[in-house]
Amino acid sequence: MARTSSEPLIVGRVIEDVLDYFRASVSINVSYGNRQVCNGSEFYPSAVAATPRVEIHGGDMRTFYTLVMTDPDVPGPSDPYLREHLHWIVTDIPGTTDATFGEEVVRYERPRPNIGIHRFVLVVFQQKVRQSLDTLPTCRSNFNTRRFAAENDLGLPVAAVFFNAQRETAARRR
């Protein structure tokens, strides 16, 4: 499986708003049901209500990863003064399996954008050792991925992907 280009993350302002520039060293597959997340793909909130399947490819049995999912567009993309909202953290994911084999330290919270189109970013960090998180967030609001990575000595990301979602109207649900 090929590593993904950083270009969609730059165009989508994920690199800048959430992350610093990095080179992917593993690949990440995220899927909700039978639909795979590609950078910039659009999902209805109802389609992302359940925990996604996350697979990390390119690691080995001695390598562990941390997965972080945030929304950098809270409360709305034109004025994201509450940036970022934390949706999920899974740690100690073995490099040869998926996130279901990791330790969920912050439970999955389904995306519920109220205003505009929101980006939902899933970032993978390689841990230096197993059970390496020293600092866990005390709340979901005003989360900062860069600060979290620095506080836990995670370094730069090794993979990331994002999708877009906006509020479903009653007309769309019919």
Side-chain angles (χ1 to χ4, degrees):
M1 179 162 283
R3 311 277 186 269
T4 56
S5 165
S6 295
E7 187 174 336
L9 298 172
I10 294 168
V11 171
R13 292 186 358 262
V14 170
I15 292 178
E16 181 184 332
D17 291 350
V18 180
L19 306 171
D20 293 324
Y21 182 82
F22 70 96
R23 288 193 182 276
S25 59
V26 298
S27 58
I28 179 176
N29 280 346
V30 178
S31 56
Y32 286 93
N34 61 359
R35 185 159 175 226
Q36 185 171 339
V37 173
C38 297
N39 282 316
S41 54
E42 295 185 21
F43 286 83
Y44 289 127
S46 60
V48 295
T51 306
R53 178 174 176 86
V54 178
E55 298 172 331
I56 300 168
H57 300 279
D60 59 45
M61 291 176 63
R62 297 171 307 214
T63 308
F64 292 90
Y65 297 95
T66 295
L67 171 76
V68 175
M69 179 178 170
T70 69
D71 174 355
D73 299 318
V74 177
S78 63
D79 186 19
Y81 64 88
L82 295 175
R83 173 178 294 160
E84 300 164 55
H85 184 81
L86 178 63
H87 282 270
W88 197 26
I89 296 178
V90 181
T91 188
D92 295 331
I93 304 166
T96 56
T97 60
D98 60 55
T100 60
F101 290 94
E103 181 185 348
E104 187 177 55
V105 294
V106 175
R107 290 185 49 190
Y108 181 78
E109 180 181 89
R110 68 184 184 98
R112 288 179 277 202
N114 287 323
I115 303 166
I117 299 171
H118 288 236
R119 296 166 294 166
F120 293 89
V121 181
L122 292 105
V123 184
V124 176
F125 295 95
Q126 183 174 331
Q127 296 172 206
K128 294 187 172 145
V129 295
R130 191 171 187 184
Q131 298 176 335
S132 65
L133 295 187
D134 296 324
T135 306
L136 291 174
T138 55
C139 68
R140 292 179 185 262
S141 297
N142 295 109
F143 181 79
N144 184 294
T145 300
R146 286 181 183 101
R147 184 177 59 239
F148 174 78
E151 289 171 350
N152 289 287
D153 196 25
L154 294 171
L156 290 173
V158 294
V161 67
F162 79 100
F163 66 90
N164 297 315
Q166 62 183 315
R167 185 177 178 184
E168 292 180 62
T169 64
R172 288 189 191 150
R173 292 185 191 149
R174 291 182 198 167

